[in-house]
Amino acid sequence: MPVPDRLVAPAPSRAVLRGLRLFRWGALATVVSVALGVHGQAEPASPAGPDPVAQVPT
């Protein structure tokens, strides 16, 4: 029996590829939902200091 020059890995089955694709979409959906949840819970920034317009003498 001749020995092949290179060993070729078998192609993954359709079920494996479908599972990986579903995993990828699920991971993306999880990241997006967590990011939106964190963004929705963020509190607005407070002003850095007193309002300079309010301190202008009239």
Side-chain angles (χ1 to χ4, degrees):
M1 180 181 340
V3 178
D5 292 338
R6 289 191 217 175
L7 295 177
V8 179
S13 68
R14 285 185 172 189
V16 171
L17 293 176
R18 178 177 284 170
L20 289 173
R21 193 177 313 128
L22 287 173
F23 177 77
R24 183 176 57 194
W25 280 108
L28 177 65
T30 302
V31 168
V32 169
S33 65
V34 168
L36 290 175
V38 169
H39 179 71
Q41 293 177 356
E43 295 191 17
S46 60
D51 187 12
V53 176
Q55 297 177 355
V56 175
T58 56

